Each structure stands twice: as structure tokens, then as C-alpha cells.
Amino acid sequence: MDAVAQWRNQWFDYTHYLRREGFLDDQFAQLKKLQDENSPDFVVEVVSLFFQDSEKLLNNMARALEQNVVDFKQVDACVHQFKGSSAWIGAMRLKNVCINFRNYCEAQNLEGCLGCLQQVRQECLALKNNLENLFRLEQQIVAAGGSIPVME
Amino acid sequence: MSAVRMGLNGDEKPHVLAVDDSVLDRKIIERLLTNSSCKVTTAEDAHGALELLGLADGQQNFSNTVSDVNMIITDYCMPGMTGYELLKKIKESPTAKEIPVVVVSSENIQTRIEKCLEEGAEEFLLKPLRQSDVKRLRCHLTKDGNPTDEGMLCVGR
């Protein structure tokens, strides 16, 4: 099997794994479809923006939850935004944690919120690693002279 | 199930104003629109949008900017003035009221949807938007602020 075929097989296995584990859903495939020769870095740019944004939002949430009197509405607003961004890139697990998080905000449950914040950080890190792996695989395919498969 | 004819000159691209406070959303929505052959201007809040339309408080109404925009897509949830309030301001303006406005939101709240439609929004769409959603919006586009009346059909959804 040549190099391109090997890398492409790895890509298929990896994307199947990511879908199966719920890291990415169909929306990510939709996002990839928006990329073309005129904007070959579109997905990478969007993903970078997402992680930059999430950094800010997570810090805002953490700060808000540290206050003596917690403004749960403010936390909720951050989570709402985070959930929206997660949905755009198909980050299903992140999105689901946000749903729980919002419920805890509404119930003004500090412990629940702190638990969710922890979870969000972990999921974010996992997703970042996964996407970096995926993009690296794609670079290998291109470097070997092949073309990146279309995500179903 | 497609528009028979756009009410636009041959190769003129429709100009869409996209309003959203999230830079990520703006980037993706802009891409969705350019992929549908639209020219896009973005605004990060309702006030910015009103300025671009020549409708901000204290602005003289220069008809140039208003008639140039063929459709407005706005997020519902924005700090300061919401998308709903922006929609109202547009529909209250004698010069801008004919511009179709589409409201988008990440939340599926029936009362929210109803009040936007009642206020004159063409459609209320849920985020994340897909290419197919945006392609379909083209049937709402107008030219020079007039609803297309040149035999254009917008059949079904």
C-alpha cells in the first residue's frame, strides 16, 4: 500500500473514531464542505478562532464563579455563547456539557457549575488534541501527494 | 422548488448585511453567503448595522447605503440592542422597511420566533446554519429595496 493510501486509511479510521466517541458530529463535516481552493485554511482558521474564544469564555466563567456573590446569569450568558460556538464546529460532547452547565446555572447550583466548568476544560483540551491530530493527518496526506477525503 | 429568476441584473451579486456579535459566527455566516454568490458586509452589533444602513440616530438618510443592501441577516441575541429590536427599527424606517430581514438564533423558542415573524422577519432560522439554509434564502432577496416582481417564484421551503 502506498503512503497516500496509508495516510488516507488512518484518516478514515480517525474520523470514524471521533464521530463514534461523539467528539465531532455532522456539523463538522458541513464546516469542511465550506472550504475550497480559494479558502484552503478555512476550517483551521475557524477552529483557531473557536479555541481563542473558548479561552476567554472559560476565564470569564471561572472569574464569575469565584465571586462572593455569584452572578449566575452572567455565567449562563458565557455558557450560552460557548454552546453556540461549539455547535458551529460540531463539537457535540462540549455542546452537551454546556446544556448541563446551563441547567446548573438556572438552578444557581454553584457546585454543579464548578463541576461543569472542569468538564468543559477537559473536553476542550481533548478536542484540541483530537483536531490537531486530524489536521496533522491531513497534512501528511497532502504532503504525500494525495487529496483529503470528503467527510461524510 | 427554486427561484425562477432573481430580481437582479445578470452578474450583480446580492449584497447581504450580516449582523452578529460573535466573531466566529460572523466568519462562518460570511463564508456561507459568499459560497452562495453574495457580497457580504458584516456588523458586530445592531448599532453598527444601523449606521451602515444610514439609520443611526442623528444620521442624515443617504439613500445610497440603504438601497445597496438586498437582505439583512441578524442574530437575535446580541448585547445592547437585540436582533428583534434591530428588526423593528428597520421595519419602522420608510426607506429600509422593504429590505428582507432574516433572524437567526441558537435557541428554538416559539414565542421568540412568532414575535419576529409578526414584526416582519422573512424567516427565523436556527443556528448553526447550513449551506442549504443560506441557498434557500436567496429567494427573499430584493433589488433596490423593492420586492422582486419580475415573475420570481419562491416555491416551498
Side-chain angles (χ1 to χ4, degrees):
Chain A
M1 199 189 285
D2 70 358
V4 171
Q6 276 187 330
W7 288 121
R8 281 173 68 103
N9 279 346
Q10 279 198 42
W11 186 94
F12 277 113
D13 287 343
Y14 200 63
T15 48
H16 285 151
Y17 158 73
L18 292 177
R19 296 285 283 256
R20 213 172 46 240
E21 295 297 310
F23 286 109
L24 294 175
D25 65 21
D26 182 57
Q27 183 56 33
F28 189 76
Q30 293 291 323
L31 199 69
K32 280 195 138 258
K33 283 190 187 151
L34 299 185
Q35 188 164 285
D36 60 23
E37 321 79 55
N38 298 325
S39 59
D41 299 319
F42 178 70
V43 176
V44 169
E45 285 168 5
V46 168
V47 167
S48 298
L49 254 179
F50 171 77
F51 285 113
Q52 276 171 37
D53 245 7
S54 54
E55 187 72 38
K56 277 186 230 147
L57 287 170
L58 286 171
N59 288 338
N60 289 344
M61 288 178 216
R63 240 193 325 270
L65 288 168
E66 277 165 15
Q67 303 305 308
N68 284 332
V69 182
V70 175
D71 183 351
F72 285 99
K73 277 199 154 56
Q74 195 193 347
V75 181
D76 182 66
C78 289
V79 181
H80 168 69
Q81 206 179 324
F82 197 92
K83 176 169 163 267
S85 301
S86 302
W88 274 117
I89 67 166
M92 194 170 82
R93 281 161 71 129
L94 260 177
K95 197 178 68 179
N96 290 339
V97 179
C98 287
I99 292 171
N100 287 344
F101 203 155
R102 291 197 80 188
N103 290 337
Y104 282 123
C105 285
E106 200 175 53
Q108 306 210 353
N109 181 331
L110 181 60
E111 212 173 293
C113 282
L114 288 170
C116 280
L117 180 61
Q118 172 85 316
Q119 244 188 312
V120 169
R121 282 198 196 280
Q122 282 166 350
E123 288 294 340
C124 240
L125 196 56
L127 183 66
K128 196 158 194 239
N129 289 336
N130 288 334
L131 286 172
E132 277 168 9
N133 290 340
L134 183 65
F135 292 148
R136 209 173 305 124
L137 271 174
E138 292 182 346
Q139 279 166 2
Q140 299 282 30
I141 293 171
V142 171
S147 62
I148 302 167
V150 172
M151 199 173 271
E152 296 305 324
Chain B
M1 301 246 175
S2 60
V4 171
R5 227 166 96 208
M6 303 300 304
L8 299 163
N9 297 330
D11 27 57
E12 238 179 81
K13 288 186 175 183
H15 183 191
V16 181
L17 172 60
V19 192
D20 201 306
D21 60 308
S22 157
V23 61
L24 183 79
D25 293 33
R26 280 200 305 277
K27 185 174 176 76
I28 301 177
I29 291 173
E30 182 172 13
R31 181 98 216 125
L32 287 166
L33 288 166
T34 50
N35 279 2
S36 285
S37 307
C38 294
K39 172 178 130 186
V40 186
T41 301
T42 58
E44 58 182 32
D45 56 33
H47 289 290
L50 289 172
E51 261 181 45
L52 283 166
L53 294 167
L55 300 178
D57 289 338
Q59 255 183 327
Q60 300 281 3
N61 179 34
F62 296 112
S63 58
N64 255 344
T65 26
V66 177
S67 59
D68 182 48
V69 171
N70 304 118
M71 184 167 72
I72 299 163
I73 292 183
T74 179
D75 189 19
Y76 181 95
C77 247
M78 294 188 291
M81 194 186 289
T82 65
Y84 173 70
E85 287 157 355
L86 174 62
L87 166 68
K88 279 179 76 169
K89 277 234 148 69
I90 292 166
K91 293 304 170 186
E92 281 164 11
S93 153
T95 42
K97 67 182 180 187
E98 296 300 332
I99 304 177
V101 180
V102 171
V103 180
V104 299
S105 173
S106 53
E107 292 178 302
N108 190 358
I109 298 173
Q110 197 54 36
T111 47
R112 182 182 283 192
I113 298 172
E114 278 165 9
K115 80 176 185 184
C116 286
L117 294 177
E118 271 164 33
E119 199 59 42
E122 297 301 318
E123 290 208 45
F124 188 104
L125 295 176
L126 289 178
K127 291 200 264 187
L129 298 178
R130 302 194 150 199
Q131 193 65 72
S132 51
D133 292 325
V134 175
K135 274 203 160 80
R136 222 190 55 222
L137 289 180
R138 284 181 62 110
C139 73
H140 295 300
L141 290 165
T142 67
K143 168 74 178 156
D144 295 329
N146 295 317
T148 51
D149 50 9
E150 294 160 326
M152 189 178 95
L153 273 171
C154 184
V155 186
R157 298 222 173 267

